[in-house]
Amino acid sequence: MGVLTRRVFSLSSPTFSIYRSISTLVIAEHDGGQLKAQTVSAVAAAKCLGDNDSISLLLAGSGPSLKQAASHAATCHPSISQVLVADSENFTHPLAEPWAKLLQLVQHKGSYSHIIATSGSFGKNILPRAAALLDVSPITDVTEISGSTQFVRPIYAGNALCTVRYTGASPCMLSIRATSFPVPPVSSDSSNEAPISQLDLSTLGDDESINKSRFVKQTSEDTDRPDLGNARIVITGGRALKSADNFKMIDKLAEKLGAAVGATRAAVDAGFVPNDLQVGQTGKIVAPELYMAFGVSGAIQHIAGMRDSKFIVAVNKDADAPIFQVADYGLVGDLFEVIPELLEKLPEKK
């Protein structure tokens, strides 16, 4: 199930932009005082825009964890020129309204040529609203950067690649797939620490639009497993598991292998697992070293979210299941027999 074709489009507006000097604002995600791995991938993507790119990292939040994240950000990558910090209770939770106004404020002050976010729920929530405020057209799900104005993104659920040339006004706003921009090993060197600047938010509080939504609650699982988006091994179950109780076999196998657990949309819709475990076009995009799929038919929307995995192993009792077309190794068999045998023969994770 390979890429079928590549098409070239142009996003144009009356103003044609040629970026003589490139300056990029990367929207950072952080948790527990640490930058998330996908943010560093966004910095790596920004480097592809040009050798002379000046990269600023924007962090927002409140409290001690924001200060810790800023300190981490200042040394996480040698290409970062400065770290901008917005410390306000308006940013305690990632709501689109205050974040979009913040981006508008920072862009008016900094006049960046590019703004980059990741294609996760955080970036997808904020980028469209910010783009509307700045009156530009964002380019989403970028998987390759060929220059300051030319990008590649998948279309038709990943079955074709589209080359887009941006000819609009500044800033060029991008969301990138973090899995497409691996971060080479870099050493944290305190001598290369980027300066940290506090943003003046005095004008932000006067805007009533930032209060149009409110945070209600966040529900997450307490688990020691790796994050689904960054795990080296992902084990996914499909609707063929038939129930939430049976899905616990996937959990046990993941514990043995130190893997993250994923699910198809059908399994999520059936209530087997929460929707934050969904892998696919409308879920999370993953690219682990090993992807194991049990009872997954291989719908095109699911394959769009895992096709970049290094090795794909599929177990399905239907020999004609589409998942076998993208799998490196396939086993035609009953998952209710295969998984217990694996659990029996695999050693316990140390």
Side-chain angles (χ1 to χ4, degrees), residues 49 57 76 89 301:
L49 292 169
L57 205 59
C76 73
E89 291 189 359
Q301 292 85 357

Side-chain angles (χ1 to χ4, degrees), residues 233-244:
I233 304 173
V234 173
I235 300 178
T236 294
R239 184 168 45 190
L241 283 152
K242 298 180 181 178
S243 70

Side-chain angles (χ1 to χ4, degrees), residues 25 58 75 87 89-90 102 109 111 145 151 185 192 195 244 265 269 286 301 321 337:
L25 180 69
L58 174 62
T75 58
D87 191 346
E89 291 189 359
N90 288 320
L102 174 64
K109 288 183 177 180
S111 299
I145 296 176
F151 315 98
N192 288 331
R265 178 170 181 172
D269 288 347
V286 299
Q301 292 85 357
E337 296 174 2

Side-chain angles (χ1 to χ4, degrees), residues 15-320:
T15 306
F16 182 84
S17 297
I18 300 176
Y19 304 113
R20 294 177 182 174
S21 62
I22 301 173
S23 58
T24 303
L25 180 69
V26 174
I27 305 171
E29 298 178 57
H30 60 95
D31 186 37
Q34 297 289 313
L35 280 190
K36 291 189 175 182
Q38 54 262 41
T39 294
V40 188
S41 293
V43 174
K47 282 297 295 174
C48 299
L49 292 169
D51 294 334
N52 298 320
D53 189 4
S54 173
I55 301 172
S56 299
L57 205 59
L58 174 62
L59 283 86
S62 63
S65 64
L66 177 63
K67 294 179 181 178
Q68 294 171 13
S71 299
H72 177 224
T75 58
C76 73
H77 200 288
S79 299
I80 296 174
S81 305
Q82 65 172 335
V83 177
L84 304 176
V85 177
D87 191 346
S88 168
E89 291 189 359
N90 288 320
F91 306 113
T92 302
H93 308 290
L95 300 178
E97 286 81 1
W99 260 98
K101 291 302 294 184
L102 174 64
L103 283 176
Q104 185 184 32
L105 174 69
V106 173
Q107 174 60 23
H108 285 165
K109 288 183 177 180
S111 299
Y112 295 95
S113 62
H114 297 75
I115 296 177
I116 295 181
T118 56
S119 288
S121 57
F122 177 81
K124 288 177 180 177
N125 185 34
I126 294 166
L127 209 64
R129 189 178 185 90
L133 290 175
L134 294 170
D135 197 24
V136 296
S137 298
I139 302 173
T140 59
D141 285 334
V142 170
T143 58
E144 182 184 329
I145 296 176
S146 305
S148 61
T149 59
Q150 189 159 302
F151 315 98
V152 177
R153 62 182 302 272
I155 55 175
Y156 304 129
N159 281 303
L161 292 177
C162 167
T163 298
V164 179
R165 182 175 295 110
Y166 184 78
T167 59
S170 295
C172 173
M173 300 187 77
L174 311 171
S175 70
I176 60 104
R177 287 193 177 180
T179 54
S180 299
F181 297 92
V183 181
V186 291
S187 59
S188 295
D189 186 356
S190 57
S191 64
N192 288 331
E193 185 173 344
I196 300 173
S197 303
Q198 294 287 335
L199 290 171
D200 179 11
L201 304 177
S202 57
T203 59
L204 198 65
D206 300 332
D207 198 313
E208 294 182 0
S209 66
I210 66 173
N211 298 315
K212 286 186 176 180
S213 64
R214 64 185 179 89
F215 178 80
V216 178
K217 67 175 181 177
Q218 179 176 346
T219 304
S220 59
E221 281 191 282
D222 242 352
T223 177
D224 293 331
R225 292 198 200 104
D227 177 65
L228 177 59
N230 304 308
R232 290 178 56 252
I233 304 173
V234 173
I235 300 178
T236 294
R239 184 168 45 190
L241 283 152
K242 298 180 181 178
S243 70
D245 285 338
N246 289 338
F247 207 94
K248 291 176 182 176
M249 292 192 299
I250 298 291
D251 293 332
K252 291 177 182 176
L253 187 58
E255 286 176 11
K256 281 218 167 188
L257 294 174
V261 171
T264 63
R265 178 170 181 172
V268 169
D269 288 347
F272 299 169
V273 290
N275 60 8
D276 60 339
L277 298 185
Q278 182 182 329
V279 174
Q281 187 177 20
T282 55
K284 291 187 177 176
I285 309 296
V286 299
E289 293 179 18
L290 174 62
Y291 187 89
M292 302 181 74
F294 293 90
V296 175
S297 63
I300 191 170
Q301 292 85 357
H302 180 77
I303 289 174
M306 44 68 74
R307 69 186 311 150
D308 291 331
S309 303
K310 305 287 188 300
F311 289 97
I312 300 172
V313 177
V315 177
N316 198 301
K317 64 181 180 181
D318 179 6
D320 296 322

